Amino acid sequence: MEYVVGIILLLSFFGLAYYCIKGHNLMIGFLVITILWTVLPLLGTVFASASFIEANPILQYEGSKGLIKILNSIYQSAPEGWGTTLVNVCWGAWFGRVLMDTGIASTLIRKTVELGGDKPMVTIALLNIVTALIFTAMTGAGPVIAIGVIVLPILMSLGVPKAIAMFSFMGSVAAGIYLNPVNFAQYRAFFIQPDEMPDFTLGWYAAHWGYAALLIMLIATTVLAAIYLKKSKTSHAWAAQSRSGASEQRNAPIYTLILPIVPVVLKIWLDFSVIGGFVIAGFLALFLCGRMKGTFKENCQLVNKLYYDGVVDTAPLVGFLLTLPMFNSVASYASPYFKVILGGVMPKNELVVCIVFAVLLCMGLFRGPMTLVGCGAATLGVLSNVASFSVPFLYAVFAIPTITVNIGSCITQSWVAWGLAYTKVESKDFLKLSIPNAYLTGVLQYVAAFILLGGLGAAWFI
Amino acid sequence: MTKQELQKALEPIAQGLFGKQGIRRYERPHFPLRSLETMLKDLTEIPQEEWFAYVFSREPLNGKFQDDQRRRWMEQSIACGREYGRRICQEYSLSTPSELAKAMGMKVTYPTYPEKTDRVLFAEFREPDDIRIYMDGVKKAKKFLERPEISSILGKLEVSELLLAHELFHYVEEKYKKEIYTRREKIRLWSLGPLHNDSTIIALSEIAAMAFARELVKLPYAPYVMDVFLVYGYSPEEASGLYEEMMEFAGRTPCAPEERKDVE
Ligand SMILES: [Zn+2]
């Protein structure tokens, strides 16, 4: 009987993958699948063979009390546990808004361009570095758009074809996200509870793989941009751009330009609180840039408005993030059935996992079964329960399709979709540039993951 | 309840479950509306030299310049564009941009590509000889030109010819890049011992391209007016914002916004 349940579960997994790829609502999709994956495995225990139940203690529960306990852990404890992550997301969004409002982000971009001048390749390389640095601290569609409306017109006015400008900018944003503490906390929660494995910090992760992942993506993107640029023809456009806001024109003092990386540096170096870092750097920015010169009431209103705008930036993600933990915890109940079906074919060796995932990188596109912010959450649920890998290794294995492929190269990413409309680049023209990068970067990152994170000791397993 | 009614009632539910993942558009600042006529009247009165602040506001290196420098560059680039306009017309003994483009062997295409964002693309030149004039905006502009109050301000105007003339300059500039002023004028961005980075100023090419275009189509006002005119077809609000910005850059006061009702 467990085979029948296993097969139905597997079919529903493919159904979910199809649903995600078609671009339907992720929050609802995961909610439905969570309910299905609760009902089937628990109902299955009634019909399954005794030896199967005996081998899987997770499926042994005592009467209605035990059942309710399981249901509570899925529908209450799991989303609550995600609360810690959510708070980080909100504060990160606030900090992003502060950097934009004070003009720090735009000044940083302008100063960078003033070093490169009319040499497109030099300017692209410098801008990529600065963009990646900025997005170690900022995330979300709001900040990407705010920086994009500065960077993209500059690149286009230098004669860089718009598709290359788009590709290079989006790739650098994704590179920065590899060290972003908010994204780290968010993805980490897919693998373990926030209080589990306290040694798996951003600092540890950065030193062991994060820096390498960022550098690989940054360098690969820049090198590819150079190659594309060599092959392409310079273009000049006559276009009208309306101004997008006063903050873009604001000049921040030079010494404040260091503030964007302060929270990340504090976190990596001292394992200092991320939110603490956001608060310190955020208020420093507001004061040093003269944004707090009003009355007390006006200042409060400004801080409040920035917080509001920041949270609105993240809103579309939040609903999805709050249903996902239910799914993550339900996956462990479904896993014994998957093990029956897939136990023989699932890769158990780290090298094999790296190779298989590297080959299947394209399935991280269109919210497919490899990306954590898509159907990949289900793949992780299956993989982590049928085979045993260390948490940092598994993190890297899934971070690559999520960040490099989905966030950096896919048109389903909200800000990439915005960029396509803004620059009027055709989807296929963007994908023609971004998919080679997804593979080049992704494969190198898997090599790095295998070398740097392979064969970790027992302390890194759960 | 008929079948259709039932379908309609169930639609929101189906949309919620299977509707596309909504992508949140970010909100642009709002600007009060103004009539096209008043805006064009005000803008056509600004002499070409006085557009420098607006032009340089789109220049990536603008933060490094002072106003007197911007003004000087503006004058010299205008002179450069005019001179090359005359020279090219003489060289080919032709005067309309489309004839010139043909004689120069350019590949000109007129795609219609709908625009909808805050960056409206009018025309493009790709090296070595590819020019695209985006017709969507041009067609909208033509409609406005049929109105007597608009055509009395803008005069006889072929928008696509004007756009083509601008893009032709980029070709001419490339051809004479060794000697042309807009490419020879450079600024030193930084130097470190023997290392240094000298850069041309992109705004100069654009200024000269506008002066060149104006010379070719004999326009009685500065071509920057087109920015507002062409954007108006897409969004009267964005056009009004652009107008406000242009007037402020030229040191003039924007006219008062209109009451909503008589603006289309
Ligand atoms: Zn131009």
Side-chain angles (χ1 to χ4, degrees):
Chain A
M1 190 61 206
E2 54 268 25
Y3 288 94
V4 178
V5 176
I7 286 167
I8 299 175
L9 286 173
L10 197 61
L11 287 178
S12 70
F13 170 83
F14 288 120
L16 178 68
Y18 180 75
Y19 180 93
C20 294
I21 290 170
K22 290 300 272 183
H24 296 310
N25 188 300
L26 288 176
M27 179 180 171
I28 302 290
F30 273 85
L31 205 57
V32 170
I33 206 85
T34 304
I35 294 168
L36 192 67
W37 285 26
T38 318
V39 173
L40 282 174
L42 294 180
L43 212 63
T45 56
V46 180
F47 307 102
S49 62
S51 60
F52 173 72
I53 300 291
E54 200 152 316
N56 294 293
I58 196 165
L59 291 176
Q60 297 160 12
Y61 58 93
E62 298 271 326
S64 62
K65 238 188 185 156
L67 186 64
I68 287 174
K69 207 175 142 203
I70 289 181
L71 292 179
N72 284 353
S73 77
I74 297 171
Y75 293 99
Q76 186 67 29
S77 324
E80 274 177 2
W82 205 282
T84 32
T85 310
L86 191 62
V87 181
N88 282 299
V89 173
C90 293
W91 277 102
W94 174 78
F95 185 61
R97 281 283 159 180
V98 169
L99 291 184
M100 284 161 1
D101 181 79
T102 51
I104 290 179
S106 54
T107 308
L108 200 53
I109 300 289
R110 284 201 303 268
K111 292 283 168 216
T112 309
V113 175
E114 286 173 13
L115 291 176
D118 64 347
K119 289 154 200 72
M121 212 39 246
V122 181
T123 306
I124 284 185
L126 292 172
L127 277 178
N128 284 0
I129 295 171
V130 171
T131 306
L133 279 179
I134 291 179
F135 285 98
T136 58
M138 303 208 289
T139 185
V144 178
I145 290 168
I147 302 295
V149 296
I150 308 171
V151 169
L152 294 172
I154 289 177
L155 289 180
M156 289 187 278
S157 70
L158 293 177
V160 176
K162 50 201 178 177
I164 299 176
M166 254 286 281
F167 152 79
S168 153
F169 174 65
M170 296 301 170
S172 323
V173 170
I177 286 182
Y178 272 103
L179 282 190
N180 191 304
V182 172
N183 287 73
F184 177 73
Q186 198 177 307
Y187 302 144
R188 187 185 187 274
F190 280 86
F191 300 86
I192 40 177
Q193 296 298 316
D195 49 355
E196 266 181 293
M197 203 175 284
D199 289 338
F200 187 40
T201 59
L202 183 67
W204 188 93
Y205 153 83
H208 285 80
W209 186 68
Y211 291 131
L214 184 152
L215 283 177
I216 289 171
M217 179 137 202
L218 186 59
I219 294 170
T221 304
T222 310
V223 168
L224 272 185
I227 295 172
Y228 292 148
L229 204 60
K230 230 212 151 119
K231 284 198 296 188
S232 76
K233 288 160 186 140
T234 326
S235 78
H236 299 270
W238 179 357
Q241 274 150 250
S242 15
R243 66 176 144 192
S244 21
S247 62
E248 214 181 289
Q249 307 300 328
R250 232 167 250 150
N251 269 318
I254 293 288
Y255 53 86
T256 59
L257 300 186
I258 193 81
L259 290 173
I261 58 166
V262 164
V264 186
V265 170
L266 285 178
K267 175 72 187 159
I268 291 179
W269 181 35
L270 303 170
D271 198 20
F272 188 79
S273 137
V274 178
I275 296 175
F278 284 146
V279 172
I280 293 171
F283 277 99
L284 264 179
L286 287 172
F287 278 108
L288 292 176
C289 296
R291 293 294 287 146
M292 297 295 254
K293 279 186 181 148
T295 63
F296 181 69
K297 197 175 159 207
E298 283 166 356
N299 292 346
C300 294
Q301 271 166 353
L302 176 68
V303 174
N304 210 13
K305 184 186 176 301
L306 295 174
Y307 194 80
Y308 174 85
D309 289 345
V311 172
V312 171
D313 283 344
T314 60
L317 194 78
V318 169
F320 172 57
L321 283 183
L322 287 180
T323 41
L324 209 63
M326 300 180 195
F327 175 79
N328 283 350
S329 80
V330 93
S332 60
Y333 297 95
S335 66
Y337 298 93
F338 278 114
K339 215 180 266 179
V340 171
I341 305 282
L342 298 173
V345 289
M346 271 302 202
K348 295 191 179 63
N349 168 301
E350 289 179 339
L351 182 62
V352 178
V353 168
C354 284
I355 293 172
V356 170
F357 270 68
V359 171
L360 298 181
L361 270 171
C362 57
M363 291 169 83
L365 289 168
F366 306 109
R367 309 274 162 183
M370 294 294 157
T371 166
L372 288 178
V373 280
C375 187
T379 314
L380 170 64
V382 176
L383 184 68
S384 65
N385 285 297
V386 297
S388 172
F389 295 106
S390 74
V391 170
F393 175 76
L394 212 52
Y395 180 97
V397 162
F398 278 92
I400 296 167
T402 306
I403 300 176
T404 302
V405 181
N406 186 342
I407 294 182
S409 317
C410 183
I411 54 170
T412 61
Q413 181 64 23
S414 60
W415 58 70
V416 175
W418 164 82
L420 293 175
Y422 181 74
T423 54
K424 269 148 234 123
V425 171
E426 301 260 359
S427 302
K428 65 172 194 314
D429 291 335
F430 175 73
L431 288 171
K432 253 187 241 162
L433 305 182
S434 72
I435 292 177
N437 188 31
Y439 267 95
L440 176 65
T441 304
V443 167
L444 291 173
Q445 283 170 330
Y446 275 116
V447 172
F450 181 72
I451 296 170
L452 299 170
L453 295 172
L456 291 176
W460 300 102
F461 286 79
I462 35 163
Chain B
M1 197 183 256
T2 67
K3 201 177 158 202
Q4 261 179 342
E5 276 171 345
L6 185 73
Q7 250 172 6
K8 213 173 168 191
L10 288 178
E11 204 197 271
I13 301 171
Q15 275 295 320
L17 274 169
F18 300 107
K20 290 277 173 210
Q21 185 81 338
I23 292 157
R24 207 175 64 88
R25 307 216 77 84
Y26 79 118
E27 206 179 323
R28 303 259 319 127
H30 291 286
F31 303 102
L33 294 170
R34 293 180 171 86
S35 84
L36 182 59
E37 195 188 337
T38 345
M39 291 196 291
L40 292 178
K41 194 177 261 161
D42 284 352
L43 294 175
T44 46
E45 276 166 14
I46 303 176
Q48 192 149 2
E49 286 75 16
E50 281 179 40
W51 283 92
F52 73 92
Y54 172 71
V55 180
F56 275 96
S57 71
R58 267 69 179 160
E59 157 66 44
L61 301 174
N62 192 31
K64 299 187 85 76
F65 310 143
Q66 297 304 319
D67 257 356
D68 53 337
Q69 200 172 20
R70 293 188 188 111
R71 207 183 293 265
R72 210 183 58 235
W73 274 332
M74 184 83 189
E75 282 160 15
Q76 280 162 338
S77 306
I78 291 174
C80 165
R82 275 189 195 140
E83 185 205 319
Y84 274 85
R86 264 176 241 131
R87 228 167 102 177
I88 296 298
C89 289
Q90 269 169 12
E91 197 178 311
Y92 290 89
S93 335
L94 293 168
S95 60
T96 70
S98 45
E99 286 167 351
L100 276 168
K102 211 180 208 173
M104 288 170 171
M106 308 297 295
K107 295 190 200 105
V108 186
T109 49
Y110 297 88
T112 303
Y113 198 78
E115 312 256 353
K116 52 175 177 276
T117 48
D118 40 347
R119 182 177 184 268
V120 181
L121 181 59
F122 302 157
E124 217 174 349
F125 165 70
R126 284 189 207 172
E127 281 167 22
D129 57 1
D130 181 11
I131 291 181
R132 289 169 200 204
I133 311 291
Y134 293 95
M135 291 308 281
D136 198 42
V138 174
K139 281 177 191 153
K140 286 182 189 193
K142 259 202 181 121
K143 278 255 153 62
F144 290 122
L145 278 171
E146 285 165 10
R147 303 209 313 228
E149 71 273 19
I150 302 294
S151 62
S152 72
I153 300 169
L154 294 181
K156 207 172 91 40
L157 172 67
E158 274 298 337
V159 180
S160 62
E161 287 287 284
L162 178 64
L163 298 178
L164 178 59
H166 172 112
E167 300 306 332
L168 275 182
F169 177 78
H170 291 303
Y171 170 75
V172 172
E173 188 185 26
E174 198 53 38
K175 195 170 158 194
Y176 296 100
K177 64 181 167 195
K178 292 238 162 55
E179 48 182 286
I180 197 162
Y181 166 75
T182 53
R183 291 292 179 89
R184 288 177 60 104
E185 183 78 7
K186 287 190 178 185
I187 82 158
R188 177 148 298 183
L189 296 176
W190 47 266
S191 60
L192 209 95
L195 280 175
H196 58 84
N197 187 1
D198 292 349
S199 170
T200 56
I201 302 118
I202 290 153
L204 303 191
S205 307
E206 295 308 325
I207 298 167
M210 290 299 186
F212 179 89
R214 186 176 173 180
E215 182 70 31
L216 250 57
V217 302
K218 306 276 178 286
L219 206 62
Y221 44 86
Y224 302 103
V225 177
M226 289 304 116
D227 286 11
V228 165
F229 184 46
L230 292 184
V231 168
Y232 192 87
Y234 296 100
S235 160
E237 196 184 321
E238 293 285 352
S240 173
L242 208 53
Y243 160 83
E244 237 173 60
E245 199 183 358
M246 287 172 167
M247 291 297 277
E248 279 159 22
F249 274 128
R252 293 162 185 240
T253 355
C255 69
E258 292 240 327
E259 294 299 311
R260 216 322 354 173
K261 53 184 185 296
D262 58 337
V263 181
E264 289 166 306

